[in-house]
């Protein structure tokens, strides 16, 4: 052991050292389930959670209008039919408080909280090659010594809170949407600025437009949108969902994006323009992400197909925005429909018809800084505000892990590795980091092209099976070989680079972060295909992985 390792270990053990079989980061959808599954296996496991309660995304993102874009009956756990039968969703796309309440219900019923350390953040972790164990450091100064280290830290959990210089000088409050306070925020009558019109900004803007005094929306890139159809559920709907639990559980596992709907098998080129129009109208009327994820697979790869669908959506948007100047600002033309996340919305465009809502075109005149009075744009103008809302997004996929100091073999740093090149083996493990399992990490569908609950549960199940195998075979270490990882990265890139998604700038490509290596974060080969590939690895007793 060299001197720096000795020093690092000595520093590590200043806090209290506790030994575990497995440490899970996060108590959101994935972390809660991972804790449950490993505990069920008889392992001594703890989950570390930065928030004061369970929920992950649904704990942090409590901004006005926060709502899930997956239908409630597929945004749930599948491990217990009894629990599913007890829970009653109120509507098709529930708002944040209801989803958070559901996750609390699961935590209660599975008695999860006793094994979760809340208000605690993992700050670093080091793999000790002498013992084949991880030492994980928390901001409480404690050290957790563990064989297995499972990250359920989330894909969109590292918010970009310090977006602009001068934020600290602003006289009013600044809220990033993913750090929205639990206490009510008074917006009535206030001059409110909103930066960002992604899925989050859209939900905020459409919700607060009628409450605020005046709103300035700092808009850089307009979005294709789909109007959400969100009926309340009747008892008969809920009964049918409960009845269909097992079928639905199977169904979501095999579709392209982990939803219940899938491509219908219609090929664009086999259909007449009239038939295509009819299909688009029909799917559009569903008011869900099915318009994005079921029309034609070619929409993601073929410019002509994408152009036709994009124009259809633009036409739908133009019907709602008659003013040509406003239409030009709000309707996208510079990229294709569906080449990054498509938000569902409710009266979002209509918010801009209100006299108290104004667009500041920050493509033409970018934001330079925040001043005590408000936001300064490149044209020299200061936009005076009382409250500033940042819906500016996340360091997606990698940020949750690279913001920690994770050290693998030879002290190598995951932050440095991923700052150079974002790689993983099926999004589940990384060569050089033995016994570290990652959910919602790059190069798996769970990084963006999936109904998250489907993919997170599949990944947790894979990790759980792998750990079970390790324990039953008395193994100490598992790690994908470099060659296996190279093959997965090449496979991922081949599929990704054949799509139009890689041509559009967004967090999907990491391009919202300056200097982030460009690679599609999400595996786009389909959830069903991905599951099959993961299952093959399990069935082969982890061929392509070093086991000791
Ligand atoms: P997104 O989708 O990354 O959106 C961030 C928005 O913030 C987007 O409109 C950005 O414009 C805008 N932005 C970011 N920085 C700036 C600056 N400097 N100036 C102007 N505008 C800026 O984050 P969301 O939270 O909406 O959604 C993330 C995911 O959460 C979503 O996809 C769902 O899966 C749930 P840009 O497009 O970069 O021009």
């Amino acid at each position: 052991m060299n001197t720096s390792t000795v020093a690092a270990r000595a520093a590590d053990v200043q806090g209290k050292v506790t030994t575990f079989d497995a440490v899970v980061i996060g108590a959101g959808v994935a972390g809660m389930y991972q804790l449950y599954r490993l505990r069920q296996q008889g392992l001594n496991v703890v989950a570390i959670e930065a928030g004061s309660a369970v929920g992950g995304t649904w704990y942090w993102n409590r901004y006005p209008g926060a709502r899930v874009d997956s239908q409630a009956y597929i945004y749930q756990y599948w491990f217990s039919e009894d629990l599913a039968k007890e829970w009653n969703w109120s509507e098709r796309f529930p708002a944040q408080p209801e989803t958070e309440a559901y996750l609390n219900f699961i935590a209660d019923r599975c008695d999860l909280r006793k094994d979760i350390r809340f208000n605690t953040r993992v700050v670093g972790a080091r793999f000790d090659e002498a013992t084949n164990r991880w030492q994980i450091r928390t901001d409480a100064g404690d050290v957790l010594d563990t064989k297995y280290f499972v990250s359920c830290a989330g894909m969109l959990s590292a918010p970009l809170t310090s977006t602009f210089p001068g934020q600290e000088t602003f006289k009013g409050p600044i809220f990033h949407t993913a750090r929205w306070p639990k206490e009510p925020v008074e917006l009535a009558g206030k001059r409110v600025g909103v930066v960002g019109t992604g899925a989050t900004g859209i939900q905020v803007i459409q919700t607060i437009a009628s409450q605020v005094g005046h709103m300035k929306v700092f808009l850089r890139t307009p979005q294709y949108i789909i109007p959400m159809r969100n009926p309340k559920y009747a008892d008969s709907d809920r009964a049918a969902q409960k009845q269909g639990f097992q079928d639905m559980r199977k169904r979501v596992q095999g579709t392209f994006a982990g939803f219940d709907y899938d491509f219908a098998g219609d090929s664009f080129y086999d259909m007449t323009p009239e038939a295509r129009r009819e299909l688009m109208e029909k799917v559009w009327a569903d008011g869900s992400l099915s318009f994005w994820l079921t029309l034609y697979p070619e929409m993601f790869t073929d410019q002509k197909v994408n152009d036709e669908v994009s124009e259809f959506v633009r036409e739908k948007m133009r019907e709602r925005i008659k003013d040509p100047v406003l239409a030009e600002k709000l309707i996208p033309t510079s990229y294709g429909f569906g080449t990054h996340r498509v938000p569902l919305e409710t009266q979002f465009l209509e918010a801009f018809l209100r006299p108290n809502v104004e667009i500041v075109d920050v493509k033409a005149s970018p934001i330079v800084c925040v001043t005590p009075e408000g936001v300064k744009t490149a044209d020299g103008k200061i936009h005076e505000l009382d409250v500033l809302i940042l819906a500016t997004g996340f360091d997606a996929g990698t940020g949750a892990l690279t913001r920690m100091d994770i050290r693998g073999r030879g002290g190598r740093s995951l932050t440095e590795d991923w700052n150079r090149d974002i790689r993983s083996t099926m999004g589940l493990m990384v060569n050089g980091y033995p016994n570290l399992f990652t959910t919602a990490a790059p190069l798996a569908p769970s990084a963006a092209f999936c109904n998250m609950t489907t993919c997170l549960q599949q990944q947790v199940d894979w990790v759980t099976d792998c750990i079970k195998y390790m324990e039953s075979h008395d193994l100490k270490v598992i790690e994908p070989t470099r060659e296996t990882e190279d093959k997965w990265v090449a496979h991922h890139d081949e599929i990704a680079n054949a799509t139009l998604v890689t041509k559009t700038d967004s967090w999907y490509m990491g391009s919202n972060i300056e200097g982030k290596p460009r690679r599609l974060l999400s595996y786009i080969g389909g959830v069903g295909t991905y599951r099959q590939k993961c299952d093959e690895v399990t069935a082969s007793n982890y061929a392509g992985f070093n086991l000791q």
Side-chain angles (χ1 to χ4, degrees):
M1 201 182 287
N2 64 33
T3 21
S4 66
T5 318
V6 173
R9 290 192 78 194
D12 273 358
V13 293
Q14 278 168 7
K16 195 171 133 225
V17 183
T18 325
T19 302
F20 294 95
D21 298 323
V23 171
V24 174
I25 312 182
V29 170
M32 287 169 59
Y33 183 48
Q34 187 67 80
L35 170 62
Y36 172 79
R37 293 283 333 257
L38 292 178
R39 210 170 64 180
Q40 222 185 12
Q41 250 186 52
L43 266 64
N44 177 18
V45 51
V46 68
I48 307 298
E49 169 55 55
S52 65
V54 299
T57 287
W58 303 104
Y59 168 86
W60 294 105
N61 288 271
R62 47 185 73 246
Y63 59 83
R67 187 177 289 283
V68 65
D69 275 356
S70 299
Q71 308 93 288
Y73 59 83
I74 57 162
Y75 202 87
Q76 63 163 336
Y77 289 112
W78 300 106
F79 67 88
S80 165
E81 189 167 356
D82 288 343
L83 287 180
K85 285 197 165 150
E86 268 184 59
W87 184 258
N88 292 309
W89 293 109
S90 69
E91 57 188 343
R92 193 182 188 208
F93 297 108
Q96 174 269 335
E98 188 168 341
T99 312
E100 188 187 22
Y102 167 71
L103 293 169
N104 274 277
F105 157 77
I106 297 291
D108 285 341
R109 298 304 307 276
C110 299
D111 197 14
L112 295 178
R113 290 192 194 82
K114 68 178 164 68
D115 292 316
I116 303 174
R117 286 193 198 174
F118 291 106
N119 300 306
T120 309
R121 194 173 276 283
V122 170
V123 291
R126 176 178 292 271
F127 183 72
D128 183 339
E129 292 181 76
T131 59
N132 286 324
R133 293 179 67 86
W134 283 93
Q135 274 83 49
I136 298 172
R137 300 188 312 281
T138 73
D139 60 356
D142 293 332
V143 178
L144 315 175
D145 177 277
T146 182
K147 180 171 177 183
Y148 303 108
F149 177 20
V150 189
S151 170
C152 297
M155 166 188 75
L156 294 157
S157 56
L160 302 174
T161 51
S162 304
T163 316
F164 304 108
Q167 279 182 213
E168 67 293 347
T169 67
F170 184 54
K171 281 191 294 205
I174 300 182
F175 301 107
H176 189 282
T177 45
R179 289 293 176 270
W180 199 266
K182 288 179 188 153
E183 305 73 45
V185 173
E186 190 51 71
L187 296 174
K190 299 259 168 76
R191 297 169 303 172
V192 177
V194 180
V195 185
T197 49
T200 303
I202 284 175
Q203 291 186 334
V204 173
I205 291 161
Q206 69 193 18
T207 305
I208 66 171
S210 60
Q211 301 165 15
V212 300
H214 189 86
M215 176 159 53
K216 289 200 176 194
V217 175
F218 297 87
L219 192 152
R220 191 164 64 182
T221 312
Q223 293 277 341
Y224 292 100
I225 48 174
I226 300 172
M228 171 186 277
R229 199 174 62 79
N230 191 18
K232 298 280 178 220
Y233 284 143
D235 285 344
S236 54
D237 298 319
R238 285 185 278 266
Q241 287 157 14
K242 289 173 191 193
Q243 182 72 26
F245 177 88
Q246 291 300 348
D247 288 343
M248 191 57 76
R249 189 174 73 84
K250 280 198 207 87
R251 166 103 188 124
V252 297
Q253 294 177 9
T255 57
F256 171 65
F259 286 76
D260 50 338
Y261 38 67
D262 207 352
F263 297 119
D266 306 292
S267 169
F268 178 91
Y269 291 104
D270 291 343
M271 296 170 79
T272 62
E274 295 71 32
R276 296 203 294 259
R277 177 88 204 180
E278 202 179 312
L279 177 69
M280 286 195 284
E281 289 287 2
K282 185 173 140 229
V283 186
W284 183 259
D286 186 54
S288 70
L289 294 179
S290 61
F291 188 83
W292 178 32
L293 300 167
T294 75
L295 267 188
Y296 325 98
E298 303 101 309
M299 191 192 78
F300 292 101
T301 51
D302 185 326
Q303 193 64 56
K304 181 170 176 231
V305 180
N306 190 280
D307 285 348
E308 184 168 307
V309 179
S310 301
E311 186 46 32
F312 176 90
V313 179
R314 284 194 287 264
E315 196 186 307
K316 290 287 183 195
M317 293 176 76
R318 279 196 295 267
E319 282 168 14
R320 291 163 61 184
I321 296 286
K322 306 279 184 236
D323 173 352
V325 178
L326 198 53
E328 199 185 328
K329 289 180 180 163
L330 286 168
I331 301 175
T333 48
S334 64
Y335 62 95
F337 172 81
T339 55
H340 67 75
R341 171 71 145 78
V342 182
L344 298 181
E345 54 78 40
T346 306
Q347 300 282 296
F348 168 68
L349 294 177
E350 288 69 17
F352 294 90
L353 303 176
R354 300 177 59 89
N356 66 331
V357 177
E358 184 188 337
I359 292 176
V360 179
D361 181 351
V362 291
K363 184 124 199 145
S365 197
I367 296 173
V368 177
C369 63
V370 174
T371 70
E373 292 73 34
V375 166
K376 185 175 177 187
T377 41
D379 53 9
K381 197 164 173 195
I382 294 189
H383 302 268
E384 293 190 9
L385 302 168
D386 302 312
V387 178
L388 177 59
I389 299 176
L390 299 179
T392 44
F394 303 84
D395 184 355
T398 53
L401 288 166
T402 55
R403 287 181 181 189
M404 300 168 205
D405 180 22
I406 296 179
R407 303 275 168 170
R409 285 197 192 281
R412 65 193 281 178
S413 151
L414 189 62
T415 307
E416 285 168 18
D417 281 350
W418 278 359
N419 280 349
R420 261 192 308 272
D421 191 12
I422 300 170
R423 297 164 49 89
S424 77
T425 301
M426 302 190 306
L428 284 162
M429 296 198 81
V430 185
N431 170 257
Y433 300 84
N435 293 7
L436 168 65
F437 298 95
T438 53
T439 61
L443 279 61
S446 55
F449 272 103
C450 190
N451 167 46
M452 284 304 281
T453 51
T454 305
C455 285
L456 294 177
Q457 289 175 88
Q458 180 261 336
Q459 291 199 311
V460 167
D461 287 338
W462 190 91
V463 172
T464 308
D465 288 346
C466 180
I467 291 178
K468 195 171 176 183
Y469 181 87
M470 299 275 297
E471 291 300 289
S472 63
H473 290 77
D474 211 14
L475 293 164
K476 288 196 169 53
V477 178
I478 181 164
E479 179 185 358
T481 64
R482 177 77 192 188
E483 195 193 10
T484 299
E485 194 150 291
D486 284 346
K487 273 193 202 151
W488 182 257
V489 174
H491 168 68
H492 169 92
D493 283 354
E494 192 186 349
I495 300 178
N497 293 336
T499 70
L500 302 168
V501 177
T502 51
K503 304 192 172 46
T504 296
D505 283 344
S506 80
W507 67 260
Y508 274 29
M509 293 302 295
S511 56
N512 63 330
I513 310 281
E514 213 184 313
K516 189 163 173 172
R518 195 174 172 91
R519 168 167 277 139
L520 181 58
L521 287 171
S522 186
Y523 178 71
I524 191 171
V527 168
T529 309
Y530 173 77
R531 170 181 291 270
Q532 241 174 30
K533 289 184 181 294
C534 291
D535 288 350
E536 279 163 20
V537 172
T538 310
S540 72
N541 294 336
Y542 307 94
F545 289 65
N546 279 330
L547 296 162
Q548 285 167 33

